[in-house]
Amino acid sequence: MVSLGCPKALVDSERILTKLRSDGYDFSNSYEGADVVIVNTCGFLDSAKAESLSAIGEAMNENGRVIVTGCMGEDPEVKKQFPNLLAVTGPQAYEQVVGAVKEAQPITHNPYVHLVPEEGLKLTPQHYAYLKISEGCNNRCSFCIIPSLRGDLVSRPIHRVLHEAESLFKAGTKELLVISQDTSAYGVDIKYAESPWKGERVKAKFYDLCKALGELAKEYGAWVRLHYVYPYPHVDDVIPLMAEGLILPYLDIPFQHASPNVLKAMRRPAHQEKNAGAHQEVARDLSRSGAAFHLYCGLSR
């Protein structure tokens, strides 16, 4: 770990190292003895930026397997000068850094040494598990308190989601239940950022996530079920994945009203024609597979 900048950045480095150590990683005092080098950068002053770029260059020359984080992580100059970095994250991105390390240098879980199983501690039976892909919601429906409680949409990096899914499948999970406040909006907040996964670059996008999860589940003979799917137009792209059997033909869609006036008052950007059209299209595409919908019924005043 090369830690630059202010004491706040130093604390960030300490937290990253603490998590890595608890996961079983050891540390080296030299480039030669390291499998991965993490450079926590500073971008407050021009001199600090120059120092950070110099430190990244030195790590690349001496080792070549470098992960960059910190204040310069979002500076395009970093990727421009060093296109072969393993990963680049912004400040306070502890989970992303740890995930990038695990992706670049996986560690074998030892049940006699590690107290917590690789898939984490679960309160569900072994055969199914929930996979949360994001927090919060960007919608402001007039009847909903979720944004006040959970805040705006914050999507997890896709490689972290896929890594957790793979760990769950390896542990025996046979049905993965994908959840969030607004599943089909996944990746909007991080501009569909790409992440490394099994030698490829994968976008943090609803379709790409569904396809990758489906292919991963197929390897382990497992299922993937989507929950809280809002009927945005791009959701249609996932229907063929259901027809192929990569994703279970199940849609948990909130068809909450048929009246345009009521939907407008609810601040729901949909109307009965769109909902009916979506239902007919799904029914047609999945006519051989079947589909399930949750319809919430009630009275409006």
PDB file of all heavy atoms in Angstrom, residues 133-170:
ATOM      1  N   ILE A 133     -28.362  -5.357  -4.883  1.00  0.00           N
ATOM      2  CA  ILE A 133     -27.490  -4.755  -5.892  1.00  0.00           C
ATOM      3  C   ILE A 133     -27.371  -3.241  -5.747  1.00  0.00           C
ATOM      4  O   ILE A 133     -26.498  -2.637  -6.362  1.00  0.00           O
ATOM      5  CB  ILE A 133     -27.980  -5.102  -7.312  1.00  0.00           C
ATOM      6  CG1 ILE A 133     -29.372  -4.522  -7.570  1.00  0.00           C
ATOM      7  CG2 ILE A 133     -27.972  -6.610  -7.521  1.00  0.00           C
ATOM      8  CD1 ILE A 133     -29.859  -4.688  -9.001  1.00  0.00           C
ATOM      9  N   SER A 134     -28.247  -2.622  -4.969  1.00  0.00           N
ATOM     10  CA  SER A 134     -28.178  -1.169  -4.797  1.00  0.00           C
ATOM     11  C   SER A 134     -28.964  -0.754  -3.568  1.00  0.00           C
ATOM     12  O   SER A 134     -29.716  -1.546  -2.993  1.00  0.00           O
ATOM     13  CB  SER A 134     -28.723  -0.436  -6.033  1.00  0.00           C
ATOM     14  OG  SER A 134     -30.110  -0.678  -6.182  1.00  0.00           O
ATOM     15  N   GLU A 135     -28.779   0.503  -3.186  1.00  0.00           N
ATOM     16  CA  GLU A 135     -29.546   1.109  -2.101  1.00  0.00           C
ATOM     17  C   GLU A 135     -30.274   2.333  -2.656  1.00  0.00           C
ATOM     18  O   GLU A 135     -29.857   2.930  -3.644  1.00  0.00           O
ATOM     19  CB  GLU A 135     -28.628   1.553  -0.956  1.00  0.00           C
ATOM     20  CG  GLU A 135     -28.021   0.420  -0.158  1.00  0.00           C
ATOM     21  CD  GLU A 135     -28.988  -0.176   0.846  1.00  0.00           C
ATOM     22  OE1 GLU A 135     -30.158   0.244   0.878  1.00  0.00           O
ATOM     23  OE2 GLU A 135     -28.558  -1.071   1.603  1.00  0.00           O
ATOM     24  N   GLY A 136     -31.368   2.735  -1.984  1.00  0.00           N
ATOM     25  CA  GLY A 136     -32.021   3.989  -2.311  1.00  0.00           C
ATOM     26  C   GLY A 136     -32.786   3.986  -3.629  1.00  0.00           C
ATOM     27  O   GLY A 136     -32.842   2.985  -4.346  1.00  0.00           O
ATOM     28  N   CYS A 137     -33.375   5.158  -3.944  1.00  0.00           N
ATOM     29  CA  CYS A 137     -34.212   5.286  -5.129  1.00  0.00           C
ATOM     30  C   CYS A 137     -34.242   6.738  -5.584  1.00  0.00           C
ATOM     31  O   CYS A 137     -34.308   7.659  -4.753  1.00  0.00           O
ATOM     32  CB  CYS A 137     -35.627   4.806  -4.808  1.00  0.00           C
ATOM     33  SG  CYS A 137     -36.768   4.881  -6.197  1.00  0.00           S
ATOM     34  N   ASN A 138     -34.193   6.949  -6.892  1.00  0.00           N
ATOM     35  CA  ASN A 138     -34.238   8.307  -7.450  1.00  0.00           C
ATOM     36  C   ASN A 138     -35.654   8.796  -7.725  1.00  0.00           C
ATOM     37  O   ASN A 138     -35.855   9.968  -8.025  1.00  0.00           O
ATOM     38  CB  ASN A 138     -33.425   8.373  -8.750  1.00  0.00           C
ATOM     39  CG  ASN A 138     -31.929   8.337  -8.499  1.00  0.00           C
ATOM     40  OD1 ASN A 138     -31.475   8.596  -7.384  1.00  0.00           O
ATOM     41  ND2 ASN A 138     -31.158   8.014  -9.513  1.00  0.00           N
ATOM     42  N   ASN A 139     -36.641   7.900  -7.672  1.00  0.00           N
ATOM     43  CA  ASN A 139     -38.028   8.314  -7.887  1.00  0.00           C
ATOM     44  C   ASN A 139     -38.551   9.060  -6.666  1.00  0.00           C
ATOM     45  O   ASN A 139     -38.077   8.852  -5.546  1.00  0.00           O
ATOM     46  CB  ASN A 139     -38.911   7.097  -8.182  1.00  0.00           C
ATOM     47  CG  ASN A 139     -38.572   6.460  -9.513  1.00  0.00           C
ATOM     48  OD1 ASN A 139     -38.363   7.154 -10.502  1.00  0.00           O
ATOM     49  ND2 ASN A 139     -38.505   5.133  -9.548  1.00  0.00           N
ATOM     50  N   ARG A 140     -39.540   9.891  -6.896  1.00  0.00           N
ATOM     51  CA  ARG A 140     -40.146  10.660  -5.799  1.00  0.00           C
ATOM     52  C   ARG A 140     -41.662  10.487  -5.835  1.00  0.00           C
ATOM     53  O   ARG A 140     -42.414  11.446  -5.973  1.00  0.00           O
ATOM     54  CB  ARG A 140     -39.752  12.147  -5.905  1.00  0.00           C
ATOM     55  CG  ARG A 140     -38.286  12.433  -5.648  1.00  0.00           C
ATOM     56  CD  ARG A 140     -37.884  12.053  -4.223  1.00  0.00           C
ATOM     57  NE  ARG A 140     -36.490  12.379  -3.928  1.00  0.00           N
ATOM     58  CZ  ARG A 140     -35.492  11.527  -4.071  1.00  0.00           C
ATOM     59  NH1 ARG A 140     -35.719  10.297  -4.536  1.00  0.00           N
ATOM     60  NH2 ARG A 140     -34.259  11.891  -3.762  1.00  0.00           N
ATOM     61  N   CYS A 141     -42.103   9.256  -5.714  1.00  0.00           N
ATOM     62  CA  CYS A 141     -43.535   8.971  -5.695  1.00  0.00           C
ATOM     63  C   CYS A 141     -44.151   9.625  -4.463  1.00  0.00           C
ATOM     64  O   CYS A 141     -43.578   9.575  -3.372  1.00  0.00           O
ATOM     65  CB  CYS A 141     -43.771   7.462  -5.685  1.00  0.00           C
ATOM     66  SG  CYS A 141     -43.029   6.617  -7.098  1.00  0.00           S
ATOM     67  N   SER A 142     -45.326  10.212  -4.639  1.00  0.00           N
ATOM     68  CA  SER A 142     -45.920  11.027  -3.583  1.00  0.00           C
ATOM     69  C   SER A 142     -46.303  10.226  -2.344  1.00  0.00           C
ATOM     70  O   SER A 142     -46.405  10.772  -1.250  1.00  0.00           O
ATOM     71  CB  SER A 142     -47.160  11.749  -4.119  1.00  0.00           C
ATOM     72  OG  SER A 142     -48.116  10.815  -4.580  1.00  0.00           O
ATOM     73  N   PHE A 143     -46.490   8.919  -2.494  1.00  0.00           N
ATOM     74  CA  PHE A 143     -46.954   8.090  -1.390  1.00  0.00           C
ATOM     75  C   PHE A 143     -45.821   7.338  -0.696  1.00  0.00           C
ATOM     76  O   PHE A 143     -46.057   6.614   0.279  1.00  0.00           O
ATOM     77  CB  PHE A 143     -47.967   7.055  -1.911  1.00  0.00           C
ATOM     78  CG  PHE A 143     -47.394   6.180  -2.987  1.00  0.00           C
ATOM     79  CD1 PHE A 143     -46.747   5.001  -2.676  1.00  0.00           C
ATOM     80  CD2 PHE A 143     -47.483   6.557  -4.318  1.00  0.00           C
ATOM     81  CE1 PHE A 143     -46.202   4.202  -3.670  1.00  0.00           C
ATOM     82  CE2 PHE A 143     -46.948   5.756  -5.319  1.00  0.00           C
ATOM     83  CZ  PHE A 143     -46.312   4.580  -4.995  1.00  0.00           C
ATOM     84  N   CYS A 144     -44.599   7.469  -1.196  1.00  0.00           N
ATOM     85  CA  CYS A 144     -43.503   6.594  -0.759  1.00  0.00           C
ATOM     86  C   CYS A 144     -42.492   7.335   0.107  1.00  0.00           C
ATOM     87  O   CYS A 144     -42.034   8.426  -0.233  1.00  0.00           O
ATOM     88  CB  CYS A 144     -42.807   5.991  -1.976  1.00  0.00           C
ATOM     89  SG  CYS A 144     -41.530   4.796  -1.547  1.00  0.00           S
ATOM     90  N   ILE A 145     -42.104   6.708   1.205  1.00  0.00           N
ATOM     91  CA  ILE A 145     -41.154   7.307   2.142  1.00  0.00           C
ATOM     92  C   ILE A 145     -39.731   6.773   1.944  1.00  0.00           C
ATOM     93  O   ILE A 145     -38.783   7.234   2.589  1.00  0.00           O
ATOM     94  CB  ILE A 145     -41.620   7.030   3.597  1.00  0.00           C
ATOM     95  CG1 ILE A 145     -40.893   7.953   4.586  1.00  0.00           C
ATOM     96  CG2 ILE A 145     -41.418   5.554   3.954  1.00  0.00           C
ATOM     97  CD1 ILE A 145     -41.370   7.806   6.000  1.00  0.00           C
ATOM     98  N   ILE A 146     -39.569   5.820   1.027  1.00  0.00           N
ATOM     99  CA  ILE A 146     -38.271   5.151   0.865  1.00  0.00           C
ATOM    100  C   ILE A 146     -37.106   6.122   0.626  1.00  0.00           C
ATOM    101  O   ILE A 146     -36.060   6.014   1.280  1.00  0.00           O
ATOM    102  CB  ILE A 146     -38.334   4.112  -0.265  1.00  0.00           C
ATOM    103  CG1 ILE A 146     -39.208   2.919   0.155  1.00  0.00           C
ATOM    104  CG2 ILE A 146     -36.948   3.620  -0.660  1.00  0.00           C
ATOM    105  CD1 ILE A 146     -38.668   2.159   1.352  1.00  0.00           C
ATOM    106  N   PRO A 147     -37.233   7.105  -0.301  1.00  0.00           N
ATOM    107  CA  PRO A 147     -36.090   8.012  -0.503  1.00  0.00           C
ATOM    108  C   PRO A 147     -35.704   8.786   0.750  1.00  0.00           C
ATOM    109  O   PRO A 147     -34.525   9.091   0.962  1.00  0.00           O
ATOM    110  CB  PRO A 147     -36.583   8.960  -1.615  1.00  0.00           C
ATOM    111  CG  PRO A 147     -37.613   8.169  -2.346  1.00  0.00           C
ATOM    112  CD  PRO A 147     -38.302   7.368  -1.295  1.00  0.00           C
ATOM    113  N   SER A 148     -36.685   9.089   1.585  1.00  0.00           N
ATOM    114  CA  SER A 148     -36.384   9.791   2.838  1.00  0.00           C
ATOM    115  C   SER A 148     -35.628   8.893   3.812  1.00  0.00           C
ATOM    116  O   SER A 148     -34.810   9.367   4.603  1.00  0.00           O
ATOM    117  CB  SER A 148     -37.681  10.273   3.496  1.00  0.00           C
ATOM    118  OG  SER A 148     -38.370  11.172   2.656  1.00  0.00           O
ATOM    119  N   LEU A 149     -35.911   7.601   3.734  1.00  0.00           N
ATOM    120  CA  LEU A 149     -35.258   6.656   4.641  1.00  0.00           C
ATOM    121  C   LEU A 149     -33.936   6.140   4.094  1.00  0.00           C
ATOM    122  O   LEU A 149     -32.962   5.996   4.835  1.00  0.00           O
ATOM    123  CB  LEU A 149     -36.188   5.462   4.907  1.00  0.00           C
ATOM    124  CG  LEU A 149     -37.527   5.748   5.592  1.00  0.00           C
ATOM    125  CD1 LEU A 149     -38.350   4.471   5.685  1.00  0.00           C
ATOM    126  CD2 LEU A 149     -37.309   6.341   6.969  1.00  0.00           C
ATOM    127  N   ARG A 150     -33.904   5.867   2.800  1.00  0.00           N
ATOM    128  CA  ARG A 150     -32.752   5.199   2.190  1.00  0.00           C
ATOM    129  C   ARG A 150     -31.897   6.106   1.314  1.00  0.00           C
ATOM    130  O   ARG A 150     -30.795   5.718   0.922  1.00  0.00           O
ATOM    131  CB  ARG A 150     -33.243   4.015   1.346  1.00  0.00           C
ATOM    132  CG  ARG A 150     -33.946   2.929   2.140  1.00  0.00           C
ATOM    133  CD  ARG A 150     -32.959   1.978   2.732  1.00  0.00           C
ATOM    134  NE  ARG A 150     -33.590   0.843   3.394  1.00  0.00           N
ATOM    135  CZ  ARG A 150     -32.935  -0.217   3.833  1.00  0.00           C
ATOM    136  NH1 ARG A 150     -31.629  -0.299   3.669  1.00  0.00           N
ATOM    137  NH2 ARG A 150     -33.564  -1.187   4.451  1.00  0.00           N
ATOM    138  N   GLY A 151     -32.421   7.298   0.976  1.00  0.00           N
ATOM    139  CA  GLY A 151     -31.656   8.203   0.136  1.00  0.00           C
ATOM    140  C   GLY A 151     -31.783   7.887  -1.345  1.00  0.00           C
ATOM    141  O   GLY A 151     -32.596   7.061  -1.760  1.00  0.00           O
ATOM    142  N   ASP A 152     -30.963   8.561  -2.152  1.00  0.00           N
ATOM    143  CA  ASP A 152     -30.969   8.350  -3.599  1.00  0.00           C
ATOM    144  C   ASP A 152     -30.317   7.024  -3.969  1.00  0.00           C
ATOM    145  O   ASP A 152     -29.647   6.383  -3.148  1.00  0.00           O
ATOM    146  CB  ASP A 152     -30.232   9.497  -4.301  1.00  0.00           C
ATOM    147  CG  ASP A 152     -30.990  10.807  -4.220  1.00  0.00           C
ATOM    148  OD1 ASP A 152     -32.231  10.759  -4.110  1.00  0.00           O
ATOM    149  OD2 ASP A 152     -30.340  11.873  -4.258  1.00  0.00           O
ATOM    150  N   LEU A 153     -30.485   6.644  -5.228  1.00  0.00           N
ATOM    151  CA  LEU A 153     -29.942   5.388  -5.731  1.00  0.00           C
ATOM    152  C   LEU A 153     -28.419   5.348  -5.602  1.00  0.00           C
ATOM    153  O   LEU A 153     -27.716   6.273  -6.014  1.00  0.00           O
ATOM    154  CB  LEU A 153     -30.333   5.224  -7.207  1.00  0.00           C
ATOM    155  CG  LEU A 153     -29.796   3.989  -7.919  1.00  0.00           C
ATOM    156  CD1 LEU A 153     -30.473   2.729  -7.385  1.00  0.00           C
ATOM    157  CD2 LEU A 153     -29.995   4.105  -9.420  1.00  0.00           C
ATOM    158  N   VAL A 154     -27.915   4.272  -5.033  1.00  0.00           N
ATOM    159  CA  VAL A 154     -26.472   4.016  -4.939  1.00  0.00           C
ATOM    160  C   VAL A 154     -26.238   2.573  -5.360  1.00  0.00           C
ATOM    161  O   VAL A 154     -26.514   1.633  -4.613  1.00  0.00           O
ATOM    162  CB  VAL A 154     -25.932   4.238  -3.510  1.00  0.00           C
ATOM    163  CG1 VAL A 154     -24.434   3.945  -3.470  1.00  0.00           C
ATOM    164  CG2 VAL A 154     -26.213   5.657  -3.035  1.00  0.00           C
ATOM    165  N   SER A 155     -25.745   2.386  -6.574  1.00  0.00           N
ATOM    166  CA  SER A 155     -25.527   1.046  -7.121  1.00  0.00           C
ATOM    167  C   SER A 155     -24.174   0.493  -6.703  1.00  0.00           C
ATOM    168  O   SER A 155     -23.178   1.230  -6.649  1.00  0.00           O
ATOM    169  CB  SER A 155     -25.611   1.072  -8.653  1.00  0.00           C
ATOM    170  OG  SER A 155     -26.865   1.546  -9.094  1.00  0.00           O
ATOM    171  N   ARG A 156     -24.126  -0.803  -6.443  1.00  0.00           N
ATOM    172  CA  ARG A 156     -22.857  -1.464  -6.147  1.00  0.00           C
ATOM    173  C   ARG A 156     -22.099  -1.724  -7.452  1.00  0.00           C
ATOM    174  O   ARG A 156     -22.721  -1.969  -8.494  1.00  0.00           O
ATOM    175  CB  ARG A 156     -23.095  -2.792  -5.438  1.00  0.00           C
ATOM    176  CG  ARG A 156     -23.754  -2.691  -4.083  1.00  0.00           C
ATOM    177  CD  ARG A 156     -24.025  -4.073  -3.517  1.00  0.00           C
ATOM    178  NE  ARG A 156     -22.793  -4.837  -3.346  1.00  0.00           N
ATOM    179  CZ  ARG A 156     -22.760  -6.150  -3.123  1.00  0.00           C
ATOM    180  NH1 ARG A 156     -23.889  -6.843  -3.087  1.00  0.00           N
ATOM    181  NH2 ARG A 156     -21.609  -6.774  -2.967  1.00  0.00           N
ATOM    182  N   PRO A 157     -20.776  -1.664  -7.435  1.00  0.00           N
ATOM    183  CA  PRO A 157     -20.010  -2.015  -8.637  1.00  0.00           C
ATOM    184  C   PRO A 157     -20.366  -3.437  -9.081  1.00  0.00           C
ATOM    185  O   PRO A 157     -20.532  -4.338  -8.247  1.00  0.00           O
ATOM    186  CB  PRO A 157     -18.549  -1.917  -8.174  1.00  0.00           C
ATOM    187  CG  PRO A 157     -18.597  -1.003  -6.996  1.00  0.00           C
ATOM    188  CD  PRO A 157     -19.900  -1.255  -6.322  1.00  0.00           C
ATOM    189  N   ILE A 158     -20.468  -3.642 -10.368  1.00  0.00           N
ATOM    190  CA  ILE A 158     -20.981  -4.919 -10.858  1.00  0.00           C
ATOM    191  C   ILE A 158     -20.056  -6.090 -10.535  1.00  0.00           C
ATOM    192  O   ILE A 158     -20.529  -7.206 -10.267  1.00  0.00           O
ATOM    193  CB  ILE A 158     -21.254  -4.842 -12.385  1.00  0.00           C
ATOM    194  CG1 ILE A 158     -22.026  -6.084 -12.842  1.00  0.00           C
ATOM    195  CG2 ILE A 158     -19.961  -4.655 -13.178  1.00  0.00           C
ATOM    196  CD1 ILE A 158     -22.589  -5.973 -14.241  1.00  0.00           C
ATOM    197  N   HIS A 159     -18.759  -5.871 -10.501  1.00  0.00           N
ATOM    198  CA  HIS A 159     -17.878  -6.995 -10.199  1.00  0.00           C
ATOM    199  C   HIS A 159     -18.034  -7.456  -8.756  1.00  0.00           C
ATOM    200  O   HIS A 159     -17.870  -8.636  -8.442  1.00  0.00           O
ATOM    201  CB  HIS A 159     -16.409  -6.647 -10.498  1.00  0.00           C
ATOM    202  CG  HIS A 159     -15.806  -5.638  -9.584  1.00  0.00           C
ATOM    203  ND1 HIS A 159     -16.086  -4.296  -9.676  1.00  0.00           N
ATOM    204  CD2 HIS A 159     -14.937  -5.766  -8.550  1.00  0.00           C
ATOM    205  CE1 HIS A 159     -15.406  -3.639  -8.750  1.00  0.00           C
ATOM    206  NE2 HIS A 159     -14.713  -4.507  -8.057  1.00  0.00           N
ATOM    207  N   ARG A 160     -18.404  -6.533  -7.850  1.00  0.00           N
ATOM    208  CA  ARG A 160     -18.645  -6.921  -6.465  1.00  0.00           C
ATOM    209  C   ARG A 160     -19.928  -7.733  -6.363  1.00  0.00           C
ATOM    210  O   ARG A 160     -20.014  -8.711  -5.611  1.00  0.00           O
ATOM    211  CB  ARG A 160     -18.737  -5.671  -5.583  1.00  0.00           C
ATOM    212  CG  ARG A 160     -17.451  -4.895  -5.452  1.00  0.00           C
ATOM    213  CD  ARG A 160     -16.339  -5.724  -4.810  1.00  0.00           C
ATOM    214  NE  ARG A 160     -16.702  -6.198  -3.496  1.00  0.00           N
ATOM    215  CZ  ARG A 160     -16.628  -7.471  -3.121  1.00  0.00           C
ATOM    216  NH1 ARG A 160     -16.224  -8.393  -3.980  1.00  0.00           N
ATOM    217  NH2 ARG A 160     -16.961  -7.834  -1.902  1.00  0.00           N
ATOM    218  N   VAL A 161     -20.934  -7.327  -7.121  1.00  0.00           N
ATOM    219  CA  VAL A 161     -22.198  -8.069  -7.129  1.00  0.00           C
ATOM    220  C   VAL A 161     -21.976  -9.485  -7.656  1.00  0.00           C
ATOM    221  O   VAL A 161     -22.443 -10.471  -7.068  1.00  0.00           O
ATOM    222  CB  VAL A 161     -23.257  -7.345  -7.988  1.00  0.00           C
ATOM    223  CG1 VAL A 161     -24.529  -8.181  -8.091  1.00  0.00           C
ATOM    224  CG2 VAL A 161     -23.582  -5.973  -7.405  1.00  0.00           C
ATOM    225  N   LEU A 162     -21.239  -9.590  -8.746  1.00  0.00           N
ATOM    226  CA  LEU A 162     -21.000 -10.897  -9.354  1.00  0.00           C
ATOM    227  C   LEU A 162     -20.113 -11.773  -8.474  1.00  0.00           C
ATOM    228  O   LEU A 162     -20.318 -12.992  -8.390  1.00  0.00           O
ATOM    229  CB  LEU A 162     -20.364 -10.719 -10.736  1.00  0.00           C
ATOM    230  CG  LEU A 162     -21.250 -10.032 -11.780  1.00  0.00           C
ATOM    231  CD1 LEU A 162     -20.470  -9.785 -13.072  1.00  0.00           C
ATOM    232  CD2 LEU A 162     -22.491 -10.867 -12.071  1.00  0.00           C
ATOM    233  N   HIS A 163     -19.159 -11.162  -7.813  1.00  0.00           N
ATOM    234  CA  HIS A 163     -18.295 -11.924  -6.902  1.00  0.00           C
ATOM    235  C   HIS A 163     -19.119 -12.498  -5.751  1.00  0.00           C
ATOM    236  O   HIS A 163     -18.949 -13.671  -5.374  1.00  0.00           O
ATOM    237  CB  HIS A 163     -17.177 -11.028  -6.354  1.00  0.00           C
ATOM    238  CG  HIS A 163     -16.306 -11.713  -5.343  1.00  0.00           C
ATOM    239  ND1 HIS A 163     -15.316 -12.590  -5.691  1.00  0.00           N
ATOM    240  CD2 HIS A 163     -16.298 -11.648  -3.983  1.00  0.00           C
ATOM    241  CE1 HIS A 163     -14.722 -13.052  -4.599  1.00  0.00           C
ATOM    242  NE2 HIS A 163     -15.297 -12.491  -3.549  1.00  0.00           N
ATOM    243  N   GLU A 164     -20.027 -11.687  -5.190  1.00  0.00           N
ATOM    244  CA  GLU A 164     -20.876 -12.183  -4.105  1.00  0.00           C
ATOM    245  C   GLU A 164     -21.790 -13.297  -4.600  1.00  0.00           C
ATOM    246  O   GLU A 164     -21.994 -14.300  -3.916  1.00  0.00           O
ATOM    247  CB  GLU A 164     -21.706 -11.043  -3.515  1.00  0.00           C
ATOM    248  CG  GLU A 164     -22.578 -11.486  -2.342  1.00  0.00           C
ATOM    249  CD  GLU A 164     -23.388 -10.362  -1.732  1.00  0.00           C
ATOM    250  OE1 GLU A 164     -23.107  -9.178  -2.042  1.00  0.00           O
ATOM    251  OE2 GLU A 164     -24.313 -10.666  -0.947  1.00  0.00           O
ATOM    252  N   ALA A 165     -22.348 -13.114  -5.807  1.00  0.00           N
ATOM    253  CA  ALA A 165     -23.222 -14.141  -6.370  1.00  0.00           C
ATOM    254  C   ALA A 165     -22.469 -15.455  -6.541  1.00  0.00           C
ATOM    255  O   ALA A 165     -22.983 -16.535  -6.212  1.00  0.00           O
ATOM    256  CB  ALA A 165     -23.776 -13.666  -7.710  1.00  0.00           C
ATOM    257  N   GLU A 166     -21.252 -15.380  -7.059  1.00  0.00           N
ATOM    258  CA  GLU A 166     -20.466 -16.596  -7.260  1.00  0.00           C
ATOM    259  C   GLU A 166     -20.165 -17.279  -5.935  1.00  0.00           C
ATOM    260  O   GLU A 166     -20.226 -18.508  -5.832  1.00  0.00           O
ATOM    261  CB  GLU A 166     -19.166 -16.260  -7.997  1.00  0.00           C
ATOM    262  CG  GLU A 166     -18.355 -17.487  -8.368  1.00  0.00           C
ATOM    263  CD  GLU A 166     -17.155 -17.155  -9.219  1.00  0.00           C
ATOM    264  OE1 GLU A 166     -16.436 -16.186  -8.893  1.00  0.00           O
ATOM    265  OE2 GLU A 166     -16.938 -17.864 -10.223  1.00  0.00           O
ATOM    266  N   SER A 167     -19.852 -16.491  -4.901  1.00  0.00           N
ATOM    267  CA  SER A 167     -19.590 -17.069  -3.583  1.00  0.00           C
ATOM    268  C   SER A 167     -20.820 -17.793  -3.046  1.00  0.00           C
ATOM    269  O   SER A 167     -20.709 -18.863  -2.437  1.00  0.00           O
ATOM    270  CB  SER A 167     -19.168 -15.962  -2.604  1.00  0.00           C
ATOM    271  OG  SER A 167     -17.954 -15.364  -3.005  1.00  0.00           O
ATOM    272  N   LEU A 168     -21.996 -17.204  -3.278  1.00  0.00           N
ATOM    273  CA  LEU A 168     -23.236 -17.829  -2.814  1.00  0.00           C
ATOM    274  C   LEU A 168     -23.513 -19.126  -3.567  1.00  0.00           C
ATOM    275  O   LEU A 168     -23.917 -20.132  -2.967  1.00  0.00           O
ATOM    276  CB  LEU A 168     -24.403 -16.856  -2.990  1.00  0.00           C
ATOM    277  CG  LEU A 168     -24.407 -15.652  -2.052  1.00  0.00           C
ATOM    278  CD1 LEU A 168     -25.440 -14.618  -2.498  1.00  0.00           C
ATOM    279  CD2 LEU A 168     -24.677 -16.085  -0.612  1.00  0.00           C
ATOM    280  N   PHE A 169     -23.283 -19.126  -4.875  1.00  0.00           N
ATOM    281  CA  PHE A 169     -23.488 -20.348  -5.658  1.00  0.00           C
ATOM    282  C   PHE A 169     -22.527 -21.449  -5.208  1.00  0.00           C
ATOM    283  O   PHE A 169     -22.913 -22.619  -5.088  1.00  0.00           O
ATOM    284  CB  PHE A 169     -23.305 -20.065  -7.152  1.00  0.00           C
ATOM    285  CG  PHE A 169     -24.421 -19.250  -7.765  1.00  0.00           C
ATOM    286  CD1 PHE A 169     -24.143 -18.257  -8.695  1.00  0.00           C
ATOM    287  CD2 PHE A 169     -25.741 -19.484  -7.421  1.00  0.00           C
ATOM    288  CE1 PHE A 169     -25.157 -17.510  -9.267  1.00  0.00           C
ATOM    289  CE2 PHE A 169     -26.764 -18.745  -7.986  1.00  0.00           C
ATOM    290  CZ  PHE A 169     -26.470 -17.752  -8.913  1.00  0.00           C
ATOM    291  N   LYS A 170     -21.280 -21.078  -4.963  1.00  0.00           N
ATOM    292  CA  LYS A 170     -20.293 -22.059  -4.512  1.00  0.00           C
ATOM    293  C   LYS A 170     -20.675 -22.654  -3.162  1.00  0.00           C
ATOM    294  O   LYS A 170     -20.348 -23.806  -2.864  1.00  0.00           O
ATOM    295  CB  LYS A 170     -18.909 -21.405  -4.420  1.00  0.00           C
ATOM    296  CG  LYS A 170     -18.250 -21.129  -5.760  1.00  0.00           C
ATOM    297  CD  LYS A 170     -16.882 -20.495  -5.565  1.00  0.00           C
ATOM    298  CE  LYS A 170     -16.183 -20.265  -6.909  1.00  0.00           C
ATOM    299  NZ  LYS A 170     -14.847 -19.601  -6.722  1.00  0.00           N
TER     300      LYS A 170
END
